[in-house]
Amino acid sequence: MGKGGTGVLAGSFALADVAVKTASKQNRIRALHALLVGIGRAAAAVICLFAWPAAAYRPFDGTDAGVAALNEVEIELEPVGRLQTGSQSALITPGVVFNYGFADRWEAVLQTQMLTPISPSGPASLAATGAFLKYVIQPGVLQGKSGISIATEFGPLLPGINADPGVGFSWVGIVSERWDWGTAHFNVEANLTRDQHGEAFLDVILEGPSTWKVRPVMEMFYDKVWTQAESRSVLIGAIWQVEHDLSLDAAFRYALVNGHPVNEIRAGLTFAFKEEGDKTPIKPGASFGNWGLSR
């Protein structure tokens, strides 16, 4: 066989190899997509079994009155954050929230974060774990309608690993309103902590105009765990809406917990995608949600 024939044969093998690799990559993507959707469906089923009357929106401790659209998956990810409490410091590596719109106006939420002490050093812990259901009671501005949006979120606070061994419960009521100058979210939350103490959480989130590509944000909250802790917190940051299904965020939070200062740096991203086979578009500027679990 001449050089020309060898080249054609080699080219055919190369094209076949590329096709095989491409098909393999697509199969892996489909498998990952199916796994995430399956986890979301399973989470919805498990949460419904609890049926107990908590949690969030990056980079805040409170949340908004929006949910993921039907068949939509939203992933909130904080690859790394830093928490400083007095002389003690720790890394959040990572923090993850999984949201799945399993029915109209309903969302299932799973969340947790890995906390790694760095000064002094110590074993890593899996903390701030919870499983919740969120429901939009009254569709409004966050659902493309007029008027306020009202939602509720509830579910169990689950045990951690090397932290928070008990089980608690949480319920929050959320109201959101939007004007030309910006958007406001109000949270009223009542919890039974994992060590069986009552907790109350009052929160206000303010955002800049929703039409801005990068909008400044601010959050203030008051939190009280009876006989244990009282916290006041202020957060200042920004959210960059890169695409309608992707946002980046960064913020600094300062708090006083029983009079002791707490400083936290937060940075992360939120992205969304539809369940395979669902061709409806992802809602514009998806209202991405976080977790209020560092307090």
Side-chain angles (χ1 to χ4, degrees):
M1 183 179 291
K3 290 182 181 179
T6 303
V8 170
L9 183 59
S12 299
F13 280 127
L15 289 173
D17 184 55
V18 169
V20 169
K21 289 181 178 178
T22 301
S24 177
K25 182 177 179 181
Q26 290 175 343
N27 288 335
R28 289 197 298 269
I29 292 174
R30 290 194 189 99
L32 177 60
H33 196 165
L35 176 62
L36 290 172
V37 171
I39 291 173
R41 287 175 170 166
V46 170
I47 295 169
C48 287
L49 290 177
F50 277 100
W52 282 98
Y57 172 38
R58 287 212 56 86
F60 310 108
D61 284 82
T63 186
D64 63 355
V67 297
L70 180 63
N71 298 327
E72 183 175 299
V73 176
E74 290 180 6
I75 306 294
E76 303 168 38
L77 175 64
E78 182 174 19
V80 62
R82 183 183 177 91
L83 182 65
Q84 184 79 33
T85 306
S87 60
Q88 299 178 336
S89 58
L91 294 178
I92 299 171
T93 54
V96 182
V97 180
F98 179 93
N99 308 283
Y100 177 61
F102 66 92
D104 185 39
R105 293 161 60 177
W106 281 96
E107 174 184 81
V109 184
L110 289 175
Q111 60 186 39
T112 191
Q113 63 183 24
M114 181 74 74
L115 199 63
T116 304
I118 55 177
S119 178
S121 60
S125 61
L126 195 65
T129 302
F132 312 102
L133 286 179
K134 190 174 183 182
Y135 175 66
V136 176
I137 299 171
Q138 177 177 305
V141 290
L142 298 192
Q143 289 74 39
K145 302 179 183 296
S146 60
I148 62 174
S149 294
I150 302 175
T152 185
E153 186 167 313
F154 54 90
L157 302 171
L158 301 176
I161 298 176
N162 295 328
D164 303 328
V167 175
F169 300 99
S170 182
W171 170 86
V172 57
I174 314 114
V175 174
S176 297
E177 177 63 291
R178 178 172 290 156
W179 301 270
D180 291 340
W181 58 263
T183 307
H185 314 287
F186 306 92
N187 290 231
V188 177
E189 185 173 335
N191 299 329
L192 177 66
T193 65
R194 294 174 180 86
D195 55 357
Q196 309 304 293
H197 288 84
E199 178 182 17
F201 175 73
L202 303 175
D203 179 86
V204 178
I205 297 170
L206 300 176
E207 303 183 43
S210 59
T211 55
W212 289 9
K213 194 75 171 179
V214 178
R215 61 187 186 275
V217 297
M218 180 179 183
E219 178 185 39
M220 298 169 287
F221 76 70
Y222 172 80
D223 181 70
K224 182 175 178 61
V225 180
W226 270 265
T227 74
Q228 285 195 330
E230 186 175 41
S231 306
R232 294 173 175 84
S233 174
V234 175
L235 175 145
I236 296 176
I239 297 175
W240 175 21
Q241 196 73 46
V242 183
E243 298 289 347
H244 67 283
D245 56 356
L246 172 66
S247 70
L248 305 178
D249 64 83
F252 173 76
R253 185 175 77 94
Y254 175 79
L256 289 175
V257 180
N258 290 341
H260 301 289
V262 173
N263 297 282
E264 184 178 1
I265 297 173
R266 297 177 177 176
L269 70 157
T270 304
F271 60 95
F273 56 88
K274 280 286 191 176
E275 180 180 346
E276 188 174 8
D278 189 329
K279 303 302 181 183
T280 59
I282 293 174
K283 58 184 178 180
S287 184
F288 299 130
N290 168 64
W291 55 100
L293 301 164
S294 302
R295 60 180 188 269

